Amino acid sequence: MTNRPLVEVRDLHVRFRGERNVHAVNGVDFALNRGEVLGILGESGSGKSVTLKALLRLLPERRTEIKGAIRVGDEDVLALGPEALADFRGKTASMIFQEPMLALDPVYTVGQQIAEAVERHEKCGAAAARRRALEMLERVRIPSPERRLDSYPHEMSGGMRQRAMIALALACRPQVLLADEPTTALDATVQIQILLLLRELQRELGMAAIFVTHDIGVAVEVSDRIAVMYAGRIVETGSVADIVRRPAHPYTRGLLASTVHGAMRGRRLDAIPGAPPALSEAPASCSFAPRCGEVQPECHARVPDAVTVAPAHLSRCLRSVAAGG
Amino acid sequence: MLVYLIRRLLYVVPIALAVSVVCFSLVHIAPGDPLVSILPPDASQALVEQMKKSYGFDRPIPVQFAIWLGKIAQGDLGTSIATSRPVLQEITKAVGNTLMLAFAATLIGFTLGCFFGFVAGYFRDTLVDRIAVTVSILGVSVPHYWLGMVLVICFSVLLPWRPPTGAGPGSSAAWVWDWEHVKYLILPAVTMSVIPMGIVTRTVRALVGDILSQEFVDALRAKGLTDWGVFQHVVKNAAPTALAVMGLQLGYLLGGSILIETVFSWPGTGFLLNAAIFQRDLPLLQGTILVLAMFFVVLNLLVDTVQTAIDPRIRRG
């Protein structure tokens, strides 16, 4: 086996056409090794979910323009024909969604929905697919799985629905799991259970995973590496320790400062002033500059290159000091 | 499911009772004396009184209603004043013809409506969508007696392909399923199908658009379903509402075909109703309206049952 990464994204651009053009993703690069978990952290509209959906080409084709390169395993995702794309989805890479109530078809039972994916990819009979569905429900620890197989999504609780969604996504043993804010719609106590379950299943199955979240706590909990996104670009990547202890980009520092965790009682939280830019034009300079407390004149001149501040720790800020430089 | 069905069946009783009250009293509110049409203009007062007595029109209206209802319970809808034949017999014959026409029209309308609706919903805001929407608006807006006459002019007069009126060769021959008879069904059925076609198109288009914008469609694609696989899910999600709309349309067609049946001289309930109104044939009128109203009640019951069977979420309600 070669030791090239399992997933490689090069210079990914996503633009939505319509009455108003939106440059949602503006040059994203990252790589993911087998068995590794990458957390993509960012606020609403930073392009994190769009990046994730682009990996499965789930964005509406008529209104979306995707440029760059996406490779998962041996597949050049952007070049796949309709048949090959359907074979790739769910088998090589699969996805879990933010709101399981909306992501499950309301008029099919949970068992049918899992078995359907298994039948589709493993070319097995209905009985074998149902057995696999049962086995998956047991794996995600849904109580009385035989009965739940014939339950409809509306008959289950939120946490149980998300477990079912996980069972569905993992039913065909994908090499990489894409999770789009999988715990955001859940109660705080259920969030932890689901995160622990995901982390455990990821290790057991040796999958790679990409977690998209706006919650630093979640990203730290599940990830090996974190990529921080802002206005359609990754502004900083590094190991969890790098990002949390030695943040190099002012935006990352702002995010860390604005968490409740460790804040002093009675003191206002340090919020980042201003709002993210509207992305009707592709930003031609550092898009964080207008909100940045350390802004300098040259920040408005061009898009900063990624600076290697430490091994495998990159920051897209002019003021970041290169390692050993 | 069973409990739901039983409860739903029990609802039918008060509805049916209310319907019968309305049927009976509406006819009595309307002006006109039913006996005028069968008695000679110079009939003596004594004869009029005698006729009134024999039809029971001399008693107070609530008593008439009670007697009428009692007889209905025994399956007797009275005797037609105009033809002196049992109302039930007249209606049964007409209902057969109307059912045939209504089912044929619904079949055409629903099939075309679903086709246009799915195409328009899948290709929203394209040329195909605009064409389908235009066709559906035309379908709903064109007055169907006018369309009926245009079709007769085109396909019976200018191009003598189809017979213009009637329900089969020869006057009152019984219906047979052969081409000679089906030929007569085509024009009225097509005319009648236009409104349900338009309504089903619009409903299905909106449904499909709504379903396709839901996240579970993305999730279905994400697990590797092909377009065909996703389409099956869309159909199952759209089916309950589409069926409900079809059921209601069938109901309208069963009762609302007076104009078309008159244009094509189709001997159905509409034709019968028309005749009963003009002849002030009270027993026939009451009987026909009641039967048509009960059609609606039964049809709604059927639609609800089918919907419940398809959509698991209704069962809990």
Side-chain angles (χ1 to χ4, degrees):
Chain A
M1 206 198 281
T2 55
N3 52 5
R4 66 171 183 169
L6 177 63
V7 179
E8 247 184 316
V9 174
R10 285 284 155 260
D11 199 28
L12 180 71
H13 286 76
V14 180
R15 188 168 71 97
F16 294 115
R17 286 183 306 251
E19 288 161 32
R20 219 169 55 88
N21 285 343
V22 178
H23 296 257
V25 176
N26 305 299
V28 159
D29 297 83
F30 65 85
L32 182 72
N33 294 316
R34 283 175 197 280
E36 188 186 27
V37 180
L38 173 71
I40 299 183
L41 186 63
E43 60 196 291
S44 314
S46 60
K48 54 193 192 313
S49 289
V50 174
T51 305
L52 201 66
K53 289 201 167 143
L55 283 170
L56 277 187
R57 275 188 37 207
L58 282 177
L59 301 163
E61 295 209 345
R62 278 197 291 152
R63 293 188 290 109
T64 320
E65 205 172 86
I66 305 180
K67 282 191 293 194
I70 299 174
R71 183 182 61 76
V72 179
D74 296 322
E75 314 279 4
D76 175 1
V77 176
L78 296 182
L80 292 175
E83 289 273 314
L85 181 62
D87 288 340
F88 162 78
R89 288 167 173 169
K91 176 73 193 156
T92 310
S94 69
M95 189 176 240
I96 47 184
F97 293 79
Q98 178 169 347
E99 184 29 289
M101 186 70 216
L102 302 178
L104 292 166
D105 185 333
V107 300
Y108 283 74
T109 64
V110 165
Q112 283 169 342
Q113 299 191 47
I114 301 175
E116 189 178 38
V118 177
E119 272 181 73
R120 166 77 182 79
H121 290 294
E122 321 248 304
K123 315 276 180 258
C124 61
R130 198 179 148 88
R131 271 200 304 282
R132 170 71 71 81
L134 178 64
E135 189 190 307
M136 289 314 296
L137 289 190
E138 281 165 3
R139 258 207 127 120
V140 297
R141 291 198 290 274
I142 284 182
S144 47
E146 284 93 350
R147 208 158 51 80
R148 286 305 175 186
L149 217 45
D150 297 318
S151 291
Y152 289 92
H154 71 265
E155 294 169 332
M156 302 170 107
S157 68
M160 224 193 296
R161 278 198 286 268
Q162 194 59 296
R163 283 173 196 266
M165 189 79 226
I166 294 169
L168 167 57
L170 301 186
C172 297
R173 306 282 142 80
Q175 297 174 40
V176 53
L177 175 69
L178 309 175
D180 187 3
E181 307 232 15
T183 58
T184 306
L186 304 174
D187 290 343
T189 48
V190 182
Q191 280 189 11
I192 305 293
Q193 295 170 10
I194 296 288
L195 282 182
L196 292 176
L197 176 73
L198 274 170
R199 187 67 174 160
E200 182 189 316
L201 288 170
Q202 178 265 327
R203 285 196 182 128
E204 256 176 54
L205 302 173
M207 281 182 306
I210 302 178
F211 263 79
V212 157
T213 179
H214 63 255
D215 185 333
I216 299 179
V218 169
V220 169
E221 186 67 46
V222 297
S223 314
D224 300 317
R225 268 192 313 131
I226 291 180
V228 180
M229 274 191 87
Y230 186 77
R233 290 205 181 93
I234 292 180
V235 292
E236 183 166 4
T237 24
S239 67
V240 173
D242 284 340
I243 297 290
V244 175
R245 301 216 189 93
R246 294 173 293 277
H249 196 283
Y251 177 63
T252 312
R253 286 202 288 273
L255 275 185
L256 289 168
S258 62
T259 50
V260 185
H261 192 73
M264 296 250 281
R265 196 182 181 83
R267 251 191 68 197
R268 282 185 71 89
L269 286 172
D270 295 319
I272 304 175
L279 290 170
S280 50
E281 303 277 328
S285 59
C286 175
S287 26
F288 188 62
R291 298 170 76 183
C292 185
E294 304 160 38
V295 66
Q296 312 221 324
E298 62 262 38
C299 291
H300 295 291
R302 61 187 173 87
V303 179
D305 293 323
V307 179
T308 308
V309 287
H313 184 185
L314 279 80
S315 166
R316 266 179 190 275
C317 177
L318 288 175
R319 301 187 68 256
S320 303
V321 183
Chain B
M1 182 75 191
L2 196 66
V3 177
Y4 174 85
L5 256 184
I6 292 169
R7 211 169 55 190
R8 191 63 187 75
L9 271 171
L10 286 179
Y11 279 139
V12 171
V13 177
I15 294 172
L17 213 61
V19 162
S20 65
V21 172
V22 172
C23 285
F24 186 85
S25 42
L26 265 185
V27 171
H28 279 271
I29 293 165
D33 186 338
L35 297 178
V36 172
S37 58
I38 48 167
L39 287 171
D42 55 347
S44 67
Q45 195 57 35
L47 185 58
V48 173
E49 289 304 317
Q50 191 201 329
M51 285 303 280
K52 267 195 178 168
K53 206 172 185 119
S54 72
Y55 279 103
F57 293 144
D58 56 335
R59 309 215 202 166
I61 286 179
V63 177
Q64 283 189 44
F65 176 69
I67 293 171
W68 182 68
L69 204 60
K71 279 190 176 163
I72 287 174
Q74 299 160 28
D76 179 9
L77 288 173
T79 308
S80 161
I81 298 176
T83 63
S84 309
R85 277 199 293 260
V87 169
L88 190 65
Q89 192 187 324
E90 297 272 328
I91 294 179
T92 318
K93 221 170 70 190
V95 162
N97 287 325
T98 293
L99 275 181
M100 201 157 60
L101 185 56
F103 277 112
T106 310
L107 192 69
I108 299 172
F110 188 67
T111 314
L112 287 179
C114 283
F115 176 74
F116 284 135
F118 269 104
V119 170
Y122 258 88
F123 301 97
R124 258 233 153 111
D125 302 324
T126 60
L127 186 66
V128 198
D129 179 28
R130 302 239 167 79
I131 293 173
V133 170
T134 311
V135 169
S136 82
I137 292 176
L138 276 180
V140 181
S141 335
V142 164
H144 46 1
Y145 54 88
W146 177 83
L147 182 68
M149 286 190 266
V150 169
L151 286 180
V152 167
I153 291 170
C154 288
F155 295 108
S156 303
V157 181
L158 299 179
L159 300 165
W161 290 350
R162 299 281 170 266
T165 58
S171 50
S172 58
W175 180 268
V176 195
W177 278 109
D178 62 7
W179 177 237
E180 276 310 300
H181 286 78
V182 171
K183 213 152 77 161
Y184 283 83
L185 183 62
I186 294 174
L187 283 189
V190 167
T191 312
M192 213 181 208
S193 72
V194 163
I195 287 183
M197 188 271 289
I199 290 175
V200 171
T201 301
R202 287 190 340 191
T203 312
V204 171
R205 174 180 180 268
L207 274 173
V208 170
D210 179 48
I211 293 166
L212 285 179
S213 70
Q214 289 187 40
E215 199 176 46
F216 76 78
V217 174
D218 273 353
L220 291 175
R221 294 213 176 96
K223 73 180 181 187
L225 291 196
T226 52
D227 288 342
W228 171 243
V230 175
F231 176 74
Q232 290 170 315
H233 279 258
V234 174
V235 169
K236 199 175 171 190
N237 274 276
T241 316
L243 282 177
V245 170
M246 184 191 81
L248 284 177
Q249 288 305 310
L250 182 60
Y252 287 127
L253 294 191
L254 289 175
S257 50
I258 294 185
L259 293 173
I260 289 177
E261 288 184 359
T262 309
V263 167
F264 289 97
S265 303
W266 184 265
T269 47
F271 199 62
L272 192 67
L273 207 58
N274 190 28
I277 293 168
F278 279 101
Q279 292 165 342
R280 300 265 179 277
D281 194 341
L282 283 198
L284 187 58
L285 195 53
Q286 285 168 338
T288 313
I289 296 177
L290 182 72
V291 169
L292 290 183
M294 287 314 292
F295 262 144
F296 255 99
V297 175
V298 172
L299 213 69
N300 272 318
L301 177 70
L302 279 179
V303 168
D304 280 358
T305 314
V306 173
Q307 260 186 316
T308 317
I310 296 180
D311 193 334
R313 285 168 297 181
I314 298 176
R315 262 170 249 169
R316 304 217 304 179

